[in-house]
Amino acid sequence: MALDKNIAVLIGGVGGAKLASGLVEAVPPERLTFIVNTGDDFWHLGLKICPDLDTLMYTLAGLVNREWGWGVADDSTVTLDSLARHYQVEPWFRLGDKDLATHLLRTHWLRLGHSLTEATACLGERLGLRATVLPMCDEEVPTMVNTVERGELGFQEYFVKHAWKPAIRAIRHHGCEKAGLSPGVRQALSDADIVLIAPSNPWLSLAPILAVPGFRDLLPGLAAPLVAVTPIIAGDAVKGPTAKIMRELGLEVSAREVARFYSGLIDGFVDDRRNQPFAMNGLRTVQLNTLMNDQADKVALARALLGWIGGWAV
């Protein structure tokens, strides 16, 4: 068990937050740094919305809506309902009343000139988080989805407004050439004894992180082992459009294909025990139960994968 190791986790979405919930019980949270996808971020009604950052923070703070895996538990939508009823504002993106507090405060700090990294640190501190949560970069790098039916859409339009129904042609990360590694992200990776890639959507949640200039180049030079966890179980995704996107991009829906996506970056791959075993040159693999139905499953996976890494690389 890696109780005395610094662990950096590349993460996004509900699947990533599930693993994070297990990790903070398996190791001291102070040893954990989560580097979070911000390609999903957008401005809505004048507010800066950061869905993956918020999902992770709400999860770690014990505030998350457990049924959905995102949003704040027991939230209401009085404000959103009023906008729709009195001002004819289409309520396609859910903003809960409790959730609004996060967006208001973040936007306030950004307007004062603070970076997204600084604003996130302040939010995490006030939520009582012991783990470190970092956005992948401070610049805006919105994910743009080129679809067959509706042309190019912003990520939230594709994912929420159109319920990820349009077929994907391609995905790009707008403005990524102007982004860069923040000092916090660079330090977290350099100090890490283990780097994990969470079982998040590789194309929507992890690709934006890897698209930040300098990020992909930095990883192979790290002394730490880098291990990815499959988001594909028995030929499908547990939740969300991962499998659908793979089919639309002409890819095999398999853990092997996910491992290929990370080829050249990872040293190890955690597959699910329900999948057909596979081998790739130079890649260590293990099959574990990666289906996280409850908190016990999340903690068990975190302990098992860290125990496996500790047996060969640390």
Side-chain angles (χ1 to χ4, degrees), residues 179-230:
L181 291 175
S182 68
V185 167
R186 186 180 294 276
Q187 191 67 51
L189 292 171
S190 298
D191 290 347
D193 299 298
I194 298 171
V195 179
L196 300 176
I197 298 180
S200 308
N201 186 312
W203 289 269
L204 295 182
S205 295
L206 279 308
I209 300 176
L210 297 174
V212 175
F215 206 108
R216 183 179 285 271
D217 294 336
L218 181 64
L219 295 180
L222 298 177
L226 201 159
V227 176
V229 182
T230 182

Side-chain angles (χ1 to χ4, degrees), residues 248-276:
E248 290 167 356
L249 295 177
L251 302 172
E252 174 185 273
V253 182
S254 68
R256 180 197 296 270
E257 195 69 66
V258 174
R260 286 196 192 106
F261 179 83
Y262 297 123
S263 179
L265 297 178
I266 59 175
D267 305 295
F269 187 80
V270 177
D271 197 3
D272 187 80
R273 66 188 184 191
R274 299 162 188 81
N275 294 338
Q276 187 68 28

Side-chain angles (χ1 to χ4, degrees), residues 52 55 57 74 161 190 195 201-202 245 256 273 280 291:
D52 283 2
T55 294
M57 289 192 296
D74 302 318
K161 189 172 185 178
S190 298
V195 179
N201 186 312
I245 289 171
R256 180 197 296 270
R273 66 188 184 191
M280 292 179 67
L291 185 60

Side-chain angles (χ1 to χ4, degrees), residues 28-264:
E30 293 82 3
R31 292 285 190 175
L32 291 164
T33 298
F34 297 101
I35 300 170
V36 186
N37 168 46
T38 58
D40 297 8
D41 295 6
F42 75 130
W43 289 88
H44 186 60
L45 301 174
L47 299 174
K48 178 69 169 180
I49 315 295
C50 302
D52 283 2
L53 282 169
D54 294 344
T55 294
L56 179 60
M57 289 192 296
Y58 294 156
T59 298
L60 297 181
L63 299 175
V64 76
N65 183 313
R66 296 184 182 277
E67 179 182 355
W68 300 336
W70 53 270
V72 180
D74 302 318
D75 209 347
S76 57
T77 57
V78 174
T79 302
L80 198 66
D81 295 342
S82 295
L83 284 169
R85 183 179 303 113
H86 301 301
Y87 301 103
Q88 294 77 54
V89 174
E90 182 185 0
W92 64 269
F93 190 85
R94 180 186 173 90
L95 292 173
D97 298 314
K98 296 178 183 177
D99 187 32
L100 273 171
T102 300
H103 309 315
L104 287 167
L105 199 51
R106 175 192 292 118
T107 303
H108 172 66
W109 284 329
L110 292 175
R111 297 290 191 198
L112 289 177
H114 296 288
S115 68
L116 183 58
T117 295
E118 292 168 337
T120 302
C122 289
L123 289 169
E125 180 180 1
R126 296 190 184 195
L127 289 173
L129 304 189
R130 293 162 59 198
T132 299
V133 177
L134 297 172
M136 67 186 197
C137 62
D138 286 318
E139 297 82 7
E140 295 191 356
V141 186
T143 296
M144 305 298 295
V145 182
N146 190 328
T147 70
V148 174
E149 298 87 347
R150 296 181 176 273
E152 190 169 73
L153 299 170
F155 176 82
Q156 296 302 337
E157 289 182 284
Y158 161 77
F159 192 75
V160 178
K161 189 172 185 178
H162 299 293
W164 45 276
K165 291 178 181 178
I168 286 182
R169 284 198 183 104
I171 303 168
R172 70 182 181 95
H173 309 106
H174 179 68
C176 68
E177 69 281 356
K178 299 178 181 179
L181 291 175
S182 68
V185 167
R186 186 180 294 276
Q187 191 67 51
L189 292 171
S190 298
D191 290 347
D193 299 298
I194 298 171
V195 179
L196 300 176
I197 298 180
S200 308
N201 186 312
W203 289 269
L204 295 182
S205 295
L206 279 308
I209 300 176
L210 297 174
V212 175
F215 206 108
R216 183 179 285 271
D217 294 336
L218 181 64
L219 295 180
L222 298 177
L226 201 159
V227 176
V229 182
T230 182
I232 297 295
I233 300 176
D236 204 354
V238 176
K239 187 175 183 179
T242 302
K244 175 178 178 287
I245 289 171
M246 294 175 77
R247 286 190 291 268
E248 290 167 356
L249 295 177
L251 302 172
E252 174 185 273
V253 182
S254 68
R256 180 197 296 270
E257 195 69 66
V258 174
R260 286 196 192 106
F261 179 83
Y262 297 123
S263 179

Side-chain angles (χ1 to χ4, degrees), residues 266-311:
I266 59 175
D267 305 295
F269 187 80
V270 177
D271 197 3
D272 187 80
R273 66 188 184 191
R274 299 162 188 81
N275 294 338
Q276 187 68 28
F278 71 91
M280 292 179 67
N281 288 338
L283 182 67
R284 295 175 183 264
T285 61
V286 66
Q287 288 190 297
L288 302 172
N289 176 31
T290 66
L291 185 60
M292 295 175 281
N293 286 323
D294 55 30
Q295 188 62 20
D297 288 341
K298 299 168 191 175
V299 176
L301 175 58
R303 288 175 174 162
L305 75 88
L306 291 176
W308 174 64
I309 297 169

